Amino acid sequence: MRSSSDPVRMTVRATRVVAAAVVLAGCGSGDRSETAPAASAPTTSVSAQPGAFVGECGSLTDAEVYERAGITGLAPVSRNGIKCRWEADGGERYVMFTWYRGSPIDRERSVAKGIGHEVHDLEIAGHRGFSSQNVGFCEVALGTGSDFVHWLVRYGTGTAPSDPCAAPTALGRLTLEKVK
C-alpha cells in the first residue's frame, strides 16, 4: 500500500489542483473593459460545396481498372475509402486512385507545374480538372465541388503508350459516371 506522501500521488493531486484552477478561472465573471465590443459581430463564412460521394477505389472494380489501365500483371496492394493502388513488376508500374476531400485542386495543379510536368486543362462531364504528365506517367485530377478525384498511371521506364493520359482519363471518366 502506498502512503499519502507517495510522490506519484502528490504529482497527481497537484495536477488536479492546477487543472481545476484553470477551469475555474475561465468560468469567472469579470467586468467588461471599455474597449471590449458590446456584442460580437456575426461572422459570415462561405462554406465549400461538398463534392459528390465517391465509393472505394473511385467506385471501380479491379476488373474495370485492369481493363482501362492497359498494364498487364496489375494486382491490388492497398484499398481504403480514399486511396487505392494496384501494382505490377514490384511497383515499377502502378495505378493509383486518391479522393481528396476538401482540398483545392489548384494546389495539386501548382505542384505539378512546379516540378516541371506538362499540365493541360481538362473537363469531363462538366467537371473541371487537369492532366499532368512526365516521362512514363500521367495523372488526371477532376473536381467535384470542394473535393477532387485523382488517377495516376505510372508505366515505368520505356513502356508508356503513345497517349499516356488516355488510361487515367478513362478511369476518371468512369469514376464520374458512378459518383452519387
Side-chain angles (χ1 to χ4, degrees):
M1 179 183 219
R2 293 185 177 174
S3 71
S4 62
S5 63
D6 183 2
V8 173
R9 286 182 185 252
M10 291 179 70
T11 302
V12 170
R13 284 186 186 147
T15 303
R16 286 182 183 163
V17 169
V18 169
V22 169
V23 169
L24 290 174
C27 294
S29 64
D31 294 339
R32 285 191 157 210
S33 71
E34 293 295 319
T35 60
S40 62
T43 59
T44 58
S45 65
V46 177
S47 62
Q49 188 68 6
F53 176 77
V54 178
E56 185 177 76
C57 298
S59 300
L60 275 57
T61 65
D62 290 344
E64 290 169 323
V65 171
Y66 302 154
E67 179 184 331
R68 283 157 185 82
I71 296 176
T72 57
L74 283 175
V77 294
S78 66
R79 176 184 309 271
N80 64 49
I82 60 169
K83 190 172 194 173
C84 296
R85 185 173 167 124
W86 301 262
E87 293 182 357
D89 303 325
E92 173 67 21
R93 299 180 303 146
Y94 63 88
V95 175
M96 187 167 60
F97 167 79
T98 310
W99 183 16
Y100 289 88
R101 303 294 315 263
S103 181
I105 192 171
D106 288 332
R107 179 173 50 207
E108 188 76 12
R109 177 193 311 261
S110 295
V111 168
K113 282 182 179 179
I115 58 177
H117 294 177
E118 184 180 323
V119 177
H120 299 280
D121 289 335
L122 183 65
E123 185 173 324
I124 298 176
H127 296 271
R128 290 185 336 95
F130 69 94
S131 66
S132 164
Q133 67 185 77
N134 207 335
V135 178
F137 89 95
C138 180
E139 63 183 334
V140 167
L142 297 159
T144 66
S146 63
D147 305 340
F148 70 94
V149 295
H150 180 264
W151 281 97
L152 184 143
V153 178
R154 174 152 171 52
Y155 299 99
T157 54
T159 59
S162 60
D163 181 2
C165 291
T169 300
L171 291 162
R173 179 175 282 112
L174 187 54
T175 293
L176 293 175
E177 289 172 7
K178 293 184 171 201
V179 297
K180 298 175 181 159

